[in-house]
Amino acid sequence: MNQKRAHNFSAGPAALPLEVLEKAQKELVDYQGAGASIIEMSHRGPEYTEIDRQARERLSRILGLGDDYEILFYQGGASLQFMMVPYNFNFEKTADYINTGSWSKKAIKEAKVFGDVHVAFSSEDSNFNRIPGNDELSFSGKGEYLHFTSNNTIFGTQFRNEPDSDGTPLVCDASSDFLSRPLDIKRYGVLYAGAQQNAGPAGLTIVILRKDFLEKARKENVASMLSYPTQVGTLYNTPPVFGVYIFNYVLEWIEQKGGLEAIDQLNKEKAALLYDEIDRDDFYRGTAEQASRSLMNVTFRLRDEALEKAFIEESKKAGMSGLKGHRSVGGIRASIYNACPKESVEALVTFMQEFRSRNG
Amino acid sequence: MNQKRAHNFSAGPAALPLEVLEKAQKELVDYQGAGASIIEMSHRGPEYTEIDRQARERLSRILGLGDDYEILFYQGGASLQFMMVPYNFNFEKTADYINTGSWSKKAIKEAKVFGDVHVAFSSEDSNFNRIPGNDELSFSGKGEYLHFTSNNTIFGTQFRNEPDSDGTPLVCDASSDFLSRPLDIKRYGVLYAGAQQNAGPAGLTIVILRKDFLEKARKENVASMLSYPTQVGTLYNTPPVFGVYIFNYVLEWIEQKGGLEAIDQLNKEKAALLYDEIDRDDFYRGTAEQASRSLMNVTFRLRDEALEKAFIEESKKAGMSGLKGHRSVGGIRASIYNACPKESVEALVTFMQEFRSRNG
């Protein structure tokens, strides 16, 4: 099949590695000679069991999980985790949250249904244009965990390092920079991520739980599907088979690329190309503070909305998609997750230069 | 691609129409010339928006929903609905449940977390080998709804018609016979179904809510992802894009086949072929009472376990998969959902005849 590829800068669901898509395409009707698609087979049969095993083994190896963590392949996106985390760990207790954008706000809202929430920092007053320094965090002193959003898709900001929580377990919504760089995993009590930015198709959520933290989960009068202790270590119900299947190939692709160190290096190079172009003069203006800039979502504005509209229209004609910024920020957003090739970023930089020449 | 097809009798995830799989395969890398896969695009973009619209329109037309119902394309399977239904409609109230199998039992267990449950009938004493007659139902008299499992995948039983609830809204787990026959839809307050038997891949759950019943849903102090009123009428978070995409093509296939009347007729013919063969003599023995037999899952036993094992082994060599019965019943289970072709059922009947000749 002749398959053209756009330069895809979608914020999510987002670009996947072409190799992964081509492999899935080849197998979609007949999975490795079994005479049926992987989406037509029992999730307890040998084919899916092997995929599940491989995906867990690869994820564990890539993140260095060792024996201290449980992995859930779940459904419902980060949005369901917003409530599952407090349902399990902050029921009639207190937890600390860092508010760095729309997703943090939603997580805080859901946590308040179940327990007390102490907001340790908020950048809402400056339209979420920055990430706090550690000296700006003010804790409740009795938090069960410290929740943060590692990358803010909408506002183009990202934690460079994990916040210093003074020993309190971190709970992280890592949806939009999951597997984009190495993590200090031992500091996390829970790390969760919707797959649809860096890991696979929408409909799969990856949840990683530290075993000693998991022991603190609520056990009385809980709904089975919302209970982490009930869900770990078993296929409680039918998993999102296609999502895990694609995720397993994405993990294979990450290892083939050299793992998270190599991926991180490539992501830094890609982001630098764009930020260098933005900082060249004041034709393009980054919306996030420099020290808080995301390597995943590069947000910038032009001098007026008419010019921004022209930029987006002309970029489409140049074979680029997904560059329109979120309405909360306006302007342009280039999402350059793991699977966005460097060539696409280079094409965008060239387009930005030409657009400046024509309109500067 | 040369793609062989097994005779697939998997109980779930289960066979999908070959035409649907082939269409998805063709488009998997490049969706209709867009230069990206449908799983790489924003769920708020024009491509997915059109898929979502088509799927809702087709489902509404096929089931005759009119303006009285809301449709949710959700995640988490029937298992999440087991708790969402009582969370919304039976919070500190009473609901009636009919217990006809493992899935009914799970639904009852989750409902007890939130409210009182009155069991209006149970066939557990006879290993769930039958469905109640209307005269066997004993109601609480104050139930918010009457919950039933329309088809019992494991035990091979199925409600021929909706139970008579005396006006109380029905809530139905229709996971394993959804879209297999026409329904008296106006009697349902909620109908939910995991997609992985008749509708699409695992990871999509279809929830249909009657608007006047929806008004009774709990509104105070609810988690957003568990609240039906919050979820309807909007894409609250990223939907399971691939699942809805496949579901839309399955709906198209159902309409091309002539809709639910035609599908029902075909399903009756397929089931009759198998039950006639089972009833021919006592070599094969159906496990469900005749009046309760499922058109979706045909369960039967042979004279001993050794012979059952031989049946399953030899069926695999004859190109058939998924025939091993669930451990709760033992023996053989042939799942013959919508997408299982009549030719596969005929092949199984021929195999059953030959197997009887060799071992009778």
Side-chain angles (χ1 to χ4, degrees):
Chain A
M1 288 170 232
N2 182 17
Q3 304 184 130
K4 81 177 168 70
R5 295 283 285 170
H7 294 300
N8 184 355
F9 299 102
S10 175
L16 287 163
L18 180 59
E19 302 91 309
V20 169
L21 289 172
E22 286 179 338
K23 205 182 290 192
Q25 181 175 46
K26 188 156 167 276
E27 297 178 339
L28 193 66
V29 174
D30 181 9
Y31 178 70
Q32 302 188 351
S37 175
I38 190 65
I39 61 175
E40 297 180 295
M41 295 180 195
S42 169
H43 55 293
R44 306 201 190 270
E47 294 86 357
Y48 183 75
T49 300
E50 174 61 13
I51 289 168
D52 178 86
R53 190 195 65 73
Q54 281 185 14
R56 287 171 195 275
E57 189 177 286
R58 285 180 169 139
L59 181 60
S60 181
R61 193 161 55 220
I62 288 169
L63 287 177
L65 300 182
D67 292 328
D68 298 331
Y69 289 83
E70 298 277 4
I71 298 168
L72 277 183
F73 295 143
Y74 219 65
Q75 301 180 52
S79 294
L80 188 60
Q81 298 307 307
F82 293 164
M83 66 80 39
M84 276 180 72
V85 165
Y87 185 84
N88 281 272
F89 296 111
N90 191 28
F91 187 69
E92 298 175 354
K93 295 178 180 172
T94 299
D96 290 4
Y97 278 70
I98 301 177
N99 183 15
T100 53
S102 306
W103 303 110
S104 304
K105 273 180 81 170
K106 289 193 181 197
I108 288 168
K109 178 173 177 248
E110 300 308 312
K112 285 181 176 169
V113 173
F114 303 98
D116 285 333
V117 172
H118 172 82
V119 177
F121 171 85
S122 173
S123 50
E124 188 161 16
D125 287 348
S126 57
N127 200 31
F128 297 120
N129 70 335
R130 68 189 193 91
I131 295 297
N134 282 323
D135 57 352
E136 296 177 283
L137 300 174
S138 114
F139 298 119
S140 67
K142 54 181 179 179
E144 297 292 319
Y145 56 81
L146 172 63
H147 184 282
F148 72 111
T149 314
S150 53
N151 183 75
N152 299 279
T153 333
I154 293 174
F155 299 97
T157 64
Q158 185 179 24
F159 280 83
R160 275 283 165 277
N161 299 103
E162 289 85 0
D164 185 350
S165 61
D166 203 18
T168 302
L170 296 174
V171 174
C172 179
D173 173 6
S175 295
S176 55
D177 64 0
F178 186 51
L179 300 177
S180 74
R181 57 180 179 180
L183 294 176
D184 188 6
I185 192 68
K186 67 182 179 303
R187 297 183 54 199
Y188 293 79
V190 184
L191 183 146
Y192 60 90
Q196 66 268 18
Q197 271 92 5
N198 271 314
L204 167 66
T205 316
I206 297 102
V207 186
I208 298 169
L209 296 135
R210 205 173 69 203
K211 289 179 183 169
D212 66 341
F213 187 61
L214 183 59
E215 282 173 17
K216 299 167 91 176
R218 176 183 173 201
K219 287 170 195 71
E220 301 290 305
N221 202 41
V222 288
S224 301
M225 280 296 286
L226 303 179
S227 163
Y228 292 127
T230 304
Q231 294 294 323
V232 297
T234 177
L235 290 188
Y236 182 84
N237 70 336
T238 317
V241 167
F242 183 74
V244 177
Y245 162 74
I246 295 287
F247 180 50
N248 183 41
Y249 283 154
V250 170
L251 293 170
E252 180 185 54
W253 176 84
I254 288 174
E255 290 200 309
Q256 284 167 352
K257 288 273 172 189
L260 296 186
E261 306 273 354
I263 292 276
D264 186 32
Q265 183 56 38
L266 186 59
N267 284 331
K268 283 176 177 158
E269 289 167 18
K270 282 153 53 184
L273 286 174
L274 283 174
Y275 286 122
D276 284 354
E277 196 53 43
I278 289 167
D279 293 340
R280 197 169 300 279
D281 57 27
D282 65 355
F283 185 78
Y284 300 110
R285 300 157 199 182
T287 63
E289 282 197 0
Q290 290 217 11
S292 301
R293 280 173 167 177
S294 167
L295 304 185
M296 299 284 102
N297 311 94
V298 178
T299 52
F300 56 98
R301 306 217 48 168
L302 282 78
R303 70 171 172 263
D304 59 46
E305 289 187 5
L307 200 60
E308 289 167 349
K309 200 174 161 194
F311 183 99
I312 291 158
E313 287 309 311
E314 292 179 29
S315 75
K316 284 182 189 163
K317 287 177 194 144
M320 300 175 191
S321 67
L323 285 168
K324 189 166 190 287
H326 190 278
R327 64 183 179 280
S328 310
V329 177
I332 317 296
R333 171 173 55 177
S335 297
I336 52 172
Y337 304 115
N338 287 358
C340 176
K342 196 170 180 184
E343 296 69 40
S344 289
V345 178
E346 288 167 344
L348 175 56
V349 168
T350 302
F351 173 80
M352 288 168 73
Q353 290 168 344
E354 291 168 357
F355 190 84
R356 184 199 280 107
S357 300
R358 288 196 299 276
N359 298 281
Chain B
M1 284 171 235
N2 182 17
Q3 304 183 130
K4 80 177 168 70
R5 296 284 284 170
H7 295 299
N8 184 356
F9 299 102
S10 175
L16 288 164
L18 180 59
E19 302 91 310
V20 169
L21 289 172
E22 286 179 337
K23 206 182 291 194
Q25 181 176 46
K26 187 155 167 275
E27 297 178 338
L28 193 66
V29 174
D30 181 10
Y31 178 70
Q32 303 189 350
S37 175
I38 191 65
I39 61 175
E40 297 180 295
M41 295 180 195
S42 169
H43 54 294
R44 307 202 189 270
E47 293 86 358
Y48 182 74
T49 300
E50 175 60 15
I51 289 168
D52 178 86
R53 190 196 65 73
Q54 281 185 13
R56 287 170 195 275
E57 190 178 285
R58 284 179 170 142
L59 181 60
S60 181
R61 194 162 53 221
I62 287 169
L63 287 177
L65 299 182
D67 292 329
D68 298 331
Y69 288 83
E70 297 277 2
I71 298 168
L72 277 184
F73 295 143
Y74 219 63
Q75 301 181 52
S79 294
L80 189 60
Q81 297 308 307
F82 293 164
M83 66 78 40
M84 275 180 73
V85 165
Y87 184 83
N88 281 271
F89 296 111
N90 192 27
F91 187 70
E92 297 175 355
K93 295 178 179 173
T94 299
D96 291 4
Y97 278 70
I98 301 178
N99 183 15
T100 53
S102 306
W103 303 110
S104 303
K105 273 180 82 169
K106 289 193 181 200
I108 289 168
K109 177 171 179 249
E110 300 307 314
K112 285 181 177 170
V113 174
F114 303 98
D116 285 333
V117 171
H118 172 82
V119 177
F121 171 85
S122 173
S123 50
E124 188 161 15
D125 287 348
S126 57
N127 200 30
F128 297 119
N129 70 336
R130 67 189 194 93
I131 295 297
N134 282 324
D135 57 352
E136 296 178 282
L137 300 174
S138 112
F139 298 117
S140 67
K142 54 182 179 177
E144 297 293 318
Y145 55 82
L146 172 63
H147 184 282
F148 71 111
T149 313
S150 54
N151 182 74
N152 299 279
T153 333
I154 293 174
F155 299 97
T157 64
Q158 185 179 24
F159 280 84
R160 276 281 166 277
N161 298 104
E162 289 84 0
D164 185 349
S165 60
D166 203 17
T168 303
L170 296 174
V171 174
C172 178
D173 173 6
S175 294
S176 55
D177 64 359
F178 186 51
L179 300 178
S180 74
R181 57 181 179 179
L183 294 176
D184 188 6
I185 192 68
K186 66 183 179 300
R187 297 183 54 199
Y188 292 79
V190 184
L191 182 146
Y192 60 89
Q196 66 269 17
Q197 271 93 4
N198 270 314
L204 167 66
T205 317
I206 297 102
V207 187
I208 298 169
L209 296 136
R210 205 173 67 204
K211 288 179 183 170
D212 65 342
F213 187 61
L214 183 59
E215 282 173 18
K216 299 167 91 175
R218 175 183 174 201
K219 287 170 195 72
E220 302 289 306
N221 203 40
V222 288
S224 301
M225 280 297 285
L226 303 180
S227 164
Y228 292 126
T230 304
Q231 293 296 321
V232 298
T234 178
L235 290 187
Y236 182 83
N237 69 337
T238 316
V241 166
F242 184 74
V244 177
Y245 162 75
I246 296 287
F247 180 50
N248 184 42
Y249 282 154
V250 170
L251 293 170
E252 180 186 53
W253 176 85
I254 288 173
E255 291 201 308
Q256 285 166 353
K257 288 272 172 190
L260 295 186
E261 306 274 354
I263 292 276
D264 186 31
Q265 183 55 38
L266 187 59
N267 284 331
K268 282 176 178 157
E269 289 168 20
K270 282 152 54 183
L273 287 174
L274 282 174
Y275 286 121
D276 284 354
E277 196 54 42
I278 288 168
D279 293 340
R280 195 168 302 279
D281 56 29
D282 65 356
F283 185 77
Y284 299 111
R285 300 157 198 182
T287 63
E289 282 197 0
Q290 290 217 11
S292 302
R293 281 174 167 178
S294 168
L295 304 186
M296 300 284 103
N297 311 95
V298 178
T299 51
F300 56 97
R301 307 217 47 167
L302 283 76
R303 69 170 173 262
D304 59 46
E305 289 187 6
L307 200 60
E308 290 168 347
K309 200 174 161 192
F311 184 99
I312 291 158
E313 287 309 311
E314 292 179 30
S315 75
K316 283 182 190 164
K317 286 177 196 143
M320 299 175 191
S321 66
L323 284 168
K324 188 166 191 288
H326 190 277
R327 64 183 179 281
S328 310
V329 178
I332 317 295
R333 171 174 56 176
S335 298
I336 53 171
Y337 304 114
N338 288 358
C340 176
K342 195 170 180 183
E343 295 70 40
S344 289
V345 177
E346 288 166 345
L348 175 55
V349 168
T350 302
F351 173 80
M352 288 169 72
Q353 291 168 344
E354 291 168 358
F355 189 84
R356 183 201 281 107
S357 300
R358 287 197 301 276
N359 299 280

